[in-house]
Amino acid sequence: MKKLNIYVLTLALAGLGLSSCKKSFDPKSYAPPLSVGGYTSVKEIAASNLVAYYSFDGSLVDSVSNSTGVGTGTSFTPGFERKALQGGVNSYVLATPSAAVAGLKSFTVTEWYNSPPPSTGIIGIFTLAKTTAFWGNIEVFFENGSDNTNGKVRIHIAKGGGDYTFAVDNVLNLFGKWNNLAFSYDGATSIATLYVNGSKITAAAVPGLTGDANFTDVGKLTFGCVQFMTEPSQTTATGRQDWANFLTGQLDEVRIYNKALSGAEVGAIVGLEGRGK
């Protein structure tokens, strides 16, 4: 009997040792990776076409070219992902574009922003300056009078000596919360497309603009205002305009691609960034 008790005790201790080494079951480790449109990370989307990426995670670095912008009156704040650029009155960032950005023929720009509606002037978001003209090679802003019932998005695209405007009105709920704004121009079809939060708002020809973009006299990338609101001005305007203003909200995750992304690709970017991927 004593031998049997010792045997039983030995088996119990052995079982205890095995159970103490066994890892607890984690169902998450067996779950498939999150996939949006067949992608599991934004890095997978048109990776060879990404020509600039400003994450604004505590720095002004373009992680594609490794160049660093210069901020005037800006800071960093909790953003859509990690940190974001905090704008303000008289605040903006200037950055030197790479040759790949200056030479864009077709393109897509996608960015997250959180801004109140315009109150005292247009709100500039993004510019690729043109030093010999009033408007930039690419100029993106919200027009005066925009609100959450009628957002007015304006995108200027320069080609040669011409300036062409892609104007979209009646866009809903653009202000007071984080939104993703994306726009593209396809030189092969001469079609511009505007997306908000991954959904296509409109796609149309830009009046007068045909064929590849052909930027000239390329100046700085400007974040937080249109190009003539910096000091000194980035363009031919001699001073600030009283009908223009600054982004007083936040800007985050700015990506520039050298092609017109598909709607599925834009939607995947929004979906994955929304999940921190």
Side-chain angles (χ1 to χ4, degrees):
M1 181 65 70
K2 184 180 291 186
K3 289 184 179 180
L4 178 60
N5 288 339
I6 292 173
Y7 179 69
V8 171
L9 178 61
T10 301
L11 287 178
L13 290 173
L16 180 62
L18 287 173
S19 64
S20 65
C21 295
K22 184 178 179 181
K23 294 182 179 179
S24 59
F25 174 70
D26 181 5
K28 292 182 180 179
S29 65
Y30 292 88
L34 173 70
S35 176
V36 178
Y39 302 101
T40 60
S41 168
V42 177
K43 294 178 181 179
E44 299 171 3
I45 302 171
S48 63
N49 300 104
L50 183 68
V51 293
Y53 170 41
Y54 292 85
S55 67
F56 296 128
D57 287 337
S59 79
L60 302 175
V61 173
D62 168 18
S63 61
V64 177
S65 69
N66 292 318
S67 63
T68 302
V70 177
T72 297
T74 57
S75 60
F76 299 101
T77 190
F80 183 80
E81 284 195 6
R82 298 172 294 276
K83 292 183 179 181
L85 182 72
Q86 176 64 59
V89 175
N90 301 324
S91 300
Y92 52 87
V93 171
L94 296 176
T96 300
S98 66
V101 172
L104 291 170
K105 304 302 182 185
S106 297
F107 57 86
T108 302
V109 179
T110 177
E111 56 206 346
W112 290 90
Y113 73 94
N114 185 355
S115 173
S119 57
T120 58
I122 67 172
I123 298 176
I125 301 294
F126 169 89
T127 296
L128 176 62
K130 183 173 183 178
T131 60
T132 59
F134 187 82
W135 295 108
N137 280 297
I138 305 175
E139 192 97 60
V140 185
F141 60 89
F142 298 121
E143 182 63 278
N144 281 316
S146 292
D147 58 30
N148 275 333
T149 64
N150 180 14
K152 304 175 182 181
V153 181
R154 299 292 183 265
I155 301 170
H156 286 260
I157 302 172
K159 182 174 181 178
D163 171 68
Y164 307 94
T165 305
F166 182 45
V168 184
D169 292 342
N170 300 310
V171 185
L172 300 177
N173 300 318
L174 286 178
F175 305 105
K177 63 184 180 68
W178 282 107
N179 286 301
N180 182 275
L181 185 75
F183 59 91
S184 67
Y185 175 72
D186 188 342
T189 62
S190 304
I191 295 296
T193 307
L194 177 70
Y195 303 87
V196 174
N197 296 327
S199 297
K200 183 171 73 174
I201 302 302
T202 189
V206 180
L209 177 61
T210 58
D212 289 343
N214 183 20
F215 301 145
T216 56
D217 303 313
V218 176
K220 300 286 189 180
L221 285 167
T222 308
F223 304 100
C225 66
V226 290
Q227 63 174 15
F228 48 78
M229 295 297 282
T230 64
E231 290 187 338
S233 171
Q234 302 301 302
T235 182
T236 57
T238 57
R240 291 177 172 175
Q241 310 292 308
D242 59 8
W243 47 267
N245 206 344
F246 297 82
L247 173 69
T248 58
Q250 299 83 43
L251 185 65
D252 205 0
E253 300 295 310
V254 179
R255 301 174 189 266
I256 307 174
Y257 297 85
N258 65 2
K259 75 166 190 172
L261 296 181
S262 68
E265 289 171 318
V266 172
I269 289 172
V270 174
L272 288 166
E273 284 182 331
R275 293 167 175 81
K277 301 296 185 179

